[in-house]
């Protein structure tokens, strides 16, 4: 079989185009030739290539043996060799870059919203064949692409004779045309969209007719033309959705917490109301202590394992022990009747139930082919995870540094842990069993959603628990001497300290971010879209010293520290001892402690000189102070503790972690007492320095850092990528997000334009997700009553109502807010379940404060919110469902 590849691509001197052909599971490279640096060719003779074979390939540009760039790999070229008589293929390709409408190639659209069945191409026996390939990503479910033109083979412009095409690849359509009647001619043609049932008039592509030039052809020759994209006069797709954590779902049969069975029921609700997106919070295992503190879903112990609390016991075989079955049935009713989740009772009960079921059914279930296939697919992470869980429970702690042995995963133990006849396997097989059930149920929910054209959108936390399996298994990827968090923002004035270890990005980038790629590819088994939690962490992370409790003493990592000479170039005389150590004076102690000042000086401080003090060594870090005040909850103790925290943070500069001769201005230093103590002539240069450092200095550097990581992760899967880009956002963030076609997050009450109080919804970019509130915020009803002046401004100027804003928030106002968000240009408008319910005063919860999911300023918050209404009752309430359905429809979503 002779294959002649042709492509036009402008190159410069020294660049070489390369054909990358997938052969026998490997990519084989063939260097191409050119005479003018524009027209590139490659001639191959594949004697062993069978008829009916499928070729997948892509082009790249090489310079001095190094790849400079390559095509968009999400959609490589595909050639189905279905011409029975063909001995020679002449292929004319086009270079494929990531298109502006790349989202239409995501599984969110191809497998859910626009889900269509694809078929193999029919065999053809033409002596001369023209194969036409074109991309048409705008087509919706139930639509087919056809071609019609000015020759008999193309129907002579008769739409009833239009030649239907087959979708051979996602959004790529192909048809084989008999070229014998019109070879060596020019033929006008055009693409047209046809409804599968011809219920809607065909829709012509925009623009002038295309001209297909058919060359003189030899017998048994196929000419393949890859044409430029076909565009149709369709509006951009805009979809509505609901955000609700899986644990918050409630059904009549769930066990005190939402589960994967409830998730299917929630999919039914979303489908019935005309919505297309269901967004959830992370569902990974977060079991560290077996107490309620494990309820924090963003602190996972495994990026692969699912949380056992989400198992749907209804989908499992019934317990044969009638006494136990009756006990659990009673317990289910008790736990399910609670207004909030009792995390410990739920998880302890489900674990006990699963152990009984494992003893009853485990051997049989794990002997089946489904389990064997699951184990073969997941064993890379499943085996270490199971041993970690066993050792965590055996040793009574997840802190593996305190274990008597096995302080790190030992790959040599994998064989014994994978052999069902060994003692090691017996110790861990229960955890294999649980993850098999969870994976099976979640995969089923995902399939259920996609068949109903619903996008399941997941959440990828930026960090992992420092005592989790991921750190235990691959410690080279983590820095344990730092804590990830966020600088001060609207959520927390002291910053957020998540406690996660920071990433060793040098190590991760060195192996092309394989840890992240594995993570994303595992997630695509369950979701078709995902939210990147704190996407800013891929540019730089807020790294807090291990001895800090709050986030004020953090610094961006990586970032470009400032030398003394640079600092002084702004006109600020740098006093290292004065600016980098806590500065404590008599008037500051008066301000912070008032009448308790003398006691604080005696117990916690030493006199340095005059009226200046140092903190005693036993209290000179926030962690030491935290340990001293542990268990003390009186108002006086809390005031003193928090005051000492602020003294430790009372510095103007922080020393760089890697270079002791470089410094970083402390975040929000202008709010500190040491800043207040500066002369006015020093404040101006410090402000200029501060603004340059945080908003300009690192932009290009952070752009290059993100460019090493995000493109690899975005293109690792076909999921639709959305980012949480809130907080202190550098200018370089939208640059990368635009390049990689990542959806931004737009919240009207947190506008990205610093010149406005509330965002203008009409200005939302199309490539964005609009929402009213997130799990980290007050709900809409709470927000409405928090600040009456702010609410009045919003009521008059954003909702365009006259008069005084009503309190508490009435349903008609909530409906107006939701309706405005649904009408905005954003591709996705995802509204939290609490804010959806707020539109109906008959159905919503009376106590708005009971609907809050998380308070970011409190790192020990108990995540236990649960819907007050069951999904069965919600779907029976046609008045509410009809209202939601009408709002979605009226907004054109």
């Amino acid at each position: 079989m002779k294959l002649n590849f042709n492509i036009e691509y402008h190159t410069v001197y020294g660049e070489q185009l390369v054909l990358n052909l997938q052969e026998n599971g490997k990519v084989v490279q063939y260097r191409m030739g050119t005479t003018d640096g524009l027209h590139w060719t490659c001639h191959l003779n594949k004697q062993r290539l069978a008829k009916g074979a499928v070729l997948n390939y892509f082009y790249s540009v090489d310079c001095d043996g190094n790849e400079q760039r390559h095509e968009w790999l999400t959609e490589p070229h595909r050639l189905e060799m279905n011409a029975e008589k063909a001995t020679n293929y002449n292929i004319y390709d086009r270079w494929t870059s990531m298109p502006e409408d790349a989202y239409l190639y995501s599984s969110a659209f191809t497998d859910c919203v626009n889900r269509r069945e694809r078929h193999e191409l029919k065999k053809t026996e033409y002596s001369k064949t023209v194969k036409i390939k074109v991309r048409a990503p705008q087509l919706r479910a139930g639509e087919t692409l056809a071609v019609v033109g000015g020759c008999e083979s193309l129907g002579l412009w008769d739409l009833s004779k239009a030649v239907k095409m087959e979708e051979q690849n996602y959004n790529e359509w192909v048809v084989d045309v008999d070229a014998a009647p019109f070879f060596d001619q020019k033929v006008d043609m055009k693409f047209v969209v046809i409804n599968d049932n011809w219920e809607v008039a065909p829709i012509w592509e925009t623009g002038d007719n295309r001209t297909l030039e058919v060359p003189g052809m030899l017998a048994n020759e196929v000419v393949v033309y890859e044409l430029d994209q076909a565009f149709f006069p369709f509006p951009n797709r805009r979809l509505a959705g609901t955000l609700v954590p899986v644990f918050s779902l409630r059904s009549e049969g769930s066990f005190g917490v939402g589960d994967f069975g409830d998730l299917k029921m929630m999919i039914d609700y979303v489908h019935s109301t005309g919505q297309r997106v269901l967004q959830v919070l992370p569902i990974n295992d977060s079991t560290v202590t077996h107490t309620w503190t494990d309820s924090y879903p963003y602190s996972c112990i495994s990026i692969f394992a699912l949380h056992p609390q989400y198992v749907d016991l209804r989908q499992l075989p019934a317990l044969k022990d009638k006494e136990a079955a009756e006990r659990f049935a009673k317990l289910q009713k008790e736990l399910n009747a609670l207004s909030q989740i009792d995390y410990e009772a739920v998880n302890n009960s489900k674990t006990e139930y699963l152990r009984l079921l494992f003893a009853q059914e485990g051997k049989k279930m794990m002997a089946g082919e489904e389990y064997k296939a699951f184990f073969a697919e997941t064993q890379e992470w499943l085996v270490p995870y199971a041993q970690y869980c066993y050792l965590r429970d055996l040793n009574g702690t997840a802190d593996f540094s305190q274990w008597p042995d096995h302080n790190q995963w030992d790959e040599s133990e994998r064989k014994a842990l994978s052999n069902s006849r060994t003692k090691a396997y017996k110790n861990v097989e229960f955890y294999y069993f649980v993850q098999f059930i969870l994976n099976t149920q979640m995969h089923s929910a995902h399939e259920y959603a996609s068949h109903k054209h619903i996008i399941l959108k997941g959440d990828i936390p930026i960090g992992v628990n420092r005592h989790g399996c991921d750190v235990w298994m691959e410690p080279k990827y983590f820095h344990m001497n730092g804590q990830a968090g966020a600088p001060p923002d609207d959520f927390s004035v002291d910053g957020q300290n998540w406690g996660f270890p920071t990433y060793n990005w040098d190590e991760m980038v060195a192996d092309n971010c394989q840890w992240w790629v594995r993570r994303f590819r595992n997630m695509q088994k369950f979701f078709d879209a995902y939210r990147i939690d704190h996407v800013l962490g891929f540019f730089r992370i807020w790294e807090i010293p291990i001895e800090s409790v709050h986030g004020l003493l953090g610094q961006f990592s990586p970032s470009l520290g400032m030398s003394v000479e640079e600092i002084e170039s702004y006109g600020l005389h740098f006093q290292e001892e004065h600016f980098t150590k806590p500065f404590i004076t008599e008037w500051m102690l008066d301000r912070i402690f008032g009448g308790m000042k003398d006691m604080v000086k005696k117990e916690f401080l030493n006199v340095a000189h005059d009226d200046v003090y140092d903190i005693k060594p036993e209290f000179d870090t926030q962690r030491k102070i935290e340990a001293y005040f542990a268990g003390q909850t009186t108002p006086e103790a809390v005031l003193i503790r928090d005051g000492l925290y602020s003294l430790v943070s009372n510095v103007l500069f922080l020393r760089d972690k890697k270079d002791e001769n470089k410094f970083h201005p402390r975040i929000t230093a202008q709010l500190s007492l040491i800043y207040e103590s500066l002369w006015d002539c020093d404040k101006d240069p410090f402000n200029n320095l501060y603004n340059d450092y945080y908003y300009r200095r690192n932009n290009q550097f952070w752009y290059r850092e993100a460019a090493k990581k995000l493109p690899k992760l975005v293109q690792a899967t076909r999921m639709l990528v959305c980012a949480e880009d809130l907080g202190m956002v550098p200018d370089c963030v939208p640059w990368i997000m635009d390049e990689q076609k990542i959806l931004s997050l737009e919240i009207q009450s947190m506008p990205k334009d610093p010149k406005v109080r509330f965002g203008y919804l009409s200005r939302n970019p199309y490539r964005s997700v609009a929402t009213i509130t997130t799990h980290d915020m007050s709900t809409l009803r709470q927000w409405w009553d928090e600040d009456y002046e702010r609410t009045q401004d919003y009521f008059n100027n954003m909702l365009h109502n006259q008069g005084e804003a009503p309190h508490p928030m009435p349903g008609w106002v909530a409906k107006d807010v939701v309706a405005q968000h649904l009408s905005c240009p954003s591709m996705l408008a995802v509204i939290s379940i609490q804010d959806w319910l707020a539109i109906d005063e008959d159905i919503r919860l009376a106590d708005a404060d009971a609907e809050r999911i998380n308070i970011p300023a409190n790192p020990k918050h108990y995540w236990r919110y649960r819907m007050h209404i069951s999904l069965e009752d919600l779907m029976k309430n046609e008045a509410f469902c009809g209202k939601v359905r009408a709002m979605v429809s009226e907004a054109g979503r």
Side-chain angles (χ1 to χ4, degrees), residues 765-863:
Y766 172 65
R767 203 157 48 224
S768 69
V769 180
T771 193
I772 302 172
T773 61
T774 73
H775 62 274
D776 279 334
M777 301 169 63
S778 303
T779 64
L780 175 58
R781 287 199 290 157
Q782 283 182 304
W783 178 86
W784 189 260
D785 287 335
E786 285 173 350
D787 184 332
Y788 276 38
E789 184 277 326
R790 179 187 63 190
T791 298
Q792 188 65 50
D793 184 7
Y794 184 85
F795 183 73
N796 296 142
N797 297 309
M798 305 309 293
L799 297 182
H800 307 293
N801 291 308
Q802 296 182 350
E804 187 174 340
H807 292 276
M809 184 182 224
W812 67 268
V813 174
K815 182 181 178 183
D816 197 5
V817 175
V818 172
Q820 287 198 13
H821 281 76
L822 292 175
S823 298
C824 78
S826 298
M827 182 192 304
L828 307 182
V830 181
I831 311 299
S832 73
I833 189 65
Q834 302 99 308
D835 294 345
W836 270 122
L837 293 172
I839 70 174
D840 192 321
E841 295 180 38
D842 294 329
I843 198 173
R844 69 189 193 184
L845 186 63
D847 182 8
D849 292 334
E851 293 183 322
R852 182 77 185 256
I853 294 177
N854 181 41
I855 301 175
N858 177 11
K860 301 295 185 183
H861 182 73
Y862 192 170
W863 296 61

Side-chain angles (χ1 to χ4, degrees), residues 441-680:
Q441 292 187 356
M442 185 58 203
H443 180 72
S444 175
H446 176 224
E447 286 292 301
Y448 188 74
S450 61
H451 278 84
K452 283 186 170 285
H453 303 278
I454 301 299
I455 301 169
L456 264 188
K457 182 183 175 188
D459 197 329
I460 293 188
I462 187 62
V464 298
N465 191 287
R466 66 175 47 249
H467 298 140
C469 177
D470 302 304
V471 181
W472 177 69
M473 182 181 176
E474 299 179 285
K476 66 178 182 178
Y477 290 135
F478 303 93
H479 289 309
M480 299 300 287
N481 59 349
Q483 306 173 93
D489 55 20
D490 291 345
F491 296 125
S492 176
V493 294
D494 291 327
Q496 298 178 51
N497 184 350
W498 303 322
F500 308 140
T502 54
Y503 293 117
N504 181 352
W505 281 112
D506 292 338
E507 192 72 36
M508 287 182 161
V509 171
D511 69 359
N512 287 314
C513 297
Q514 285 304 303
W515 185 86
W516 284 95
V517 170
R518 295 196 307 269
R519 182 180 189 179
F520 280 57
R521 288 180 177 168
N522 181 75
M523 191 176 186
Q524 75 178 342
K525 296 190 302 183
F526 309 125
F527 299 102
D528 289 297
Y530 63 90
R531 166 189 178 270
I532 302 178
D533 173 44
H534 195 65
V535 73
L536 305 184
F538 290 93
F539 295 78
R540 78 291 184 275
I541 196 69
W542 189 247
E543 188 169 25
I544 303 164
I546 197 69
E547 63 269 14
S548 291
V549 174
H550 292 157
L552 291 176
L553 294 178
Q555 58 185 254
F556 287 123
S557 177
S559 60
L560 303 173
M562 307 181 76
S563 66
V564 173
E565 292 76 14
E566 285 182 285
I567 293 171
E568 294 192 334
S569 71
Y570 284 85
L572 177 68
H573 176 57
F574 186 72
Q575 306 168 57
E576 182 174 331
E577 184 76 11
H578 177 52
F579 287 167
T580 61
K581 288 181 60 179
F583 183 57
I584 306 170
T585 64
E586 192 78 23
W587 68 266
M588 295 178 185
L589 297 175
D590 269 330
R591 177 87 60 85
I592 297 172
F593 300 106
M596 293 185 286
K597 177 187 68 174
D598 292 336
M599 184 273 287
V600 169
K601 288 194 296 185
K602 179 179 179 181
E603 292 292 327
F604 302 102
L605 305 177
N606 290 325
V607 177
H609 60 84
D610 302 319
D611 68 339
V612 178
Y613 298 85
D614 291 329
I615 303 176
K616 290 181 179 181
E618 57 266 40
F619 304 109
D620 61 359
T621 72
Q622 291 182 344
R623 289 295 179 198
K624 291 178 181 178
I625 296 167
E626 179 186 48
Y628 179 82
F629 284 94
Q632 301 185 45
T633 58
T634 64
E636 294 79 10
V638 172
L639 190 151
I640 295 172
R641 182 200 65 192
D642 291 348
L644 292 172
Y645 283 167
S646 68
L647 290 181
V648 171
S649 302
N650 196 39
V651 297
L652 207 61
F653 287 89
L654 303 169
R655 196 178 300 274
D656 186 85
K657 289 175 63 68
K658 293 184 178 180
D659 185 345
E660 64 178 11
N661 296 314
K662 297 286 182 69
F663 302 89
H664 306 261
R666 202 211 81 181
I667 193 74
T668 61
Q670 290 90 338
L671 302 179
S672 68
L673 296 177
I674 186 173
Y675 176 85
E676 187 177 334
S677 72
L678 293 176
W679 296 103
D680 287 345

Side-chain angles (χ1 to χ4, degrees), residues 221-251:
E221 182 178 350
V222 178
V223 176
V224 183
Y225 287 117
E226 186 173 272
L227 306 181
D228 57 342
Q229 181 173 324
F231 289 94
F232 296 89
F234 295 153
N236 287 331
R237 300 298 296 272
R238 294 163 54 253
L239 310 174
T242 296
L243 163 64
V244 59
V246 175
F247 60 74
S248 297
L249 298 174
R250 180 188 294 273
S251 71

Side-chain angles (χ1 to χ4, degrees), residues 357-397:
L357 187 70
F358 173 68
Q360 175 184 301
E361 305 283 346
K363 186 174 182 180
K364 176 183 176 183
M365 292 176 68
M366 296 172 76
E369 294 301 318
E370 285 188 26
Y371 171 78
K372 292 177 181 177
F374 162 75
F375 188 86
E377 179 187 355
T378 63
Q379 58 183 316
E380 182 180 356
W381 65 264
L382 179 64
V383 173
Y385 163 79
Q387 191 189 32
Y388 164 87
C389 290
Y390 168 73
L391 294 170
R392 173 200 63 201
D393 296 346
L394 178 68
N395 294 300
T397 177

Side-chain angles (χ1 to χ4, degrees), residues 736-781:
I736 283 279
M737 289 180 59
D738 188 57
E739 286 177 10
Q740 297 301 315
K741 313 299 184 274
I742 300 173
L743 276 64
S744 64
L745 179 62
E746 306 297 329
I747 300 178
Q748 190 177 26
S749 61
M750 297 177 64
K752 292 171 181 172
D753 181 353
K755 299 186 291 294
V756 300
R757 188 175 194 179
F758 307 110
Y760 289 92
L761 294 174
S762 60
R763 299 178 186 174
N764 282 8
Y766 172 65
R767 203 157 48 224
S768 69
V769 180
T771 193
I772 302 172
T773 61
T774 73
H775 62 274
D776 279 334
M777 301 169 63
S778 303
T779 64
L780 175 58
R781 287 199 290 157

Side-chain angles (χ1 to χ4, degrees), residues 287-507:
T287 307
V288 176
T289 64
H290 294 289
T291 66
W292 66 264
T293 58
D294 298 342
S295 65
Y296 182 25
Y298 287 87
S299 182
C300 65
I301 62 168
S302 170
I303 58 175
F304 301 106
L306 301 177
H307 201 303
Q309 72 175 351
Y310 296 124
V311 65
D312 179 10
L313 301 181
R314 294 164 291 185
Q315 297 183 44
L316 302 177
L319 292 179
K320 295 178 181 178
D321 184 333
K322 291 185 178 181
E323 183 178 333
E326 290 175 0
R327 177 166 60 86
F328 280 106
K330 180 181 178 182
L331 190 57
Q332 181 269 330
K333 291 181 180 178
E334 292 173 358
L335 293 174
N336 219 31
L338 299 176
S339 61
Q340 294 179 306
I341 299 166
D342 185 334
Y343 183 89
E344 293 174 24
V346 164
N347 280 272
N348 290 340
S349 300
K350 282 199 167 184
T351 299
E352 182 188 358
Y353 188 101
L354 288 169
R355 286 196 177 276
L356 292 174
L357 187 70
F358 173 68
Q360 175 184 301
E361 305 283 346
K363 186 174 182 180
K364 176 183 176 183
M365 292 176 68
M366 296 172 76
E369 294 301 318
E370 285 188 26
Y371 171 78
K372 292 177 181 177
F374 162 75
F375 188 86
E377 179 187 355
T378 63
Q379 58 183 316
E380 182 180 356
W381 65 264
L382 179 64
V383 173
Y385 163 79
Q387 191 189 32
Y388 164 87
C389 290
Y390 168 73
L391 294 170
R392 173 200 63 201
D393 296 346
L394 178 68
N395 294 300
T397 177
D399 185 354
F400 41 83
S401 66
Q402 297 182 24
W403 296 351
D405 50 36
H406 291 89
N407 304 110
Q408 184 178 333
W409 162 248
D410 185 351
E411 184 64 27
S412 67
E413 297 186 9
R414 179 181 292 276
K415 186 175 181 180
L417 291 162
S418 304
N419 185 342
S420 60
R421 293 186 294 273
T422 65
K423 180 182 177 182
Y425 182 93
K426 300 297 183 187
N427 289 336
V428 301
E429 61 180 340
F430 170 71
Y431 302 103
Y432 296 159
F433 171 76
V434 172
Q435 287 301 312
F436 168 60
I437 292 172
L438 290 164
N439 272 257
T440 301
Q441 292 187 356
M442 185 58 203
H443 180 72
S444 175
H446 176 224
E447 286 292 301
Y448 188 74
S450 61
H451 278 84
K452 283 186 170 285
H453 303 278
I454 301 299
I455 301 169
L456 264 188
K457 182 183 175 188
D459 197 329
I460 293 188
I462 187 62
V464 298
N465 191 287
R466 66 175 47 249
H467 298 140
C469 177
D470 302 304
V471 181
W472 177 69
M473 182 181 176
E474 299 179 285
K476 66 178 182 178
Y477 290 135
F478 303 93
H479 289 309
M480 299 300 287
N481 59 349
Q483 306 173 93
D489 55 20
D490 291 345
F491 296 125
S492 176
V493 294
D494 291 327
Q496 298 178 51
N497 184 350
W498 303 322
F500 308 140
T502 54
Y503 293 117
N504 181 352
W505 281 112
D506 292 338
E507 192 72 36

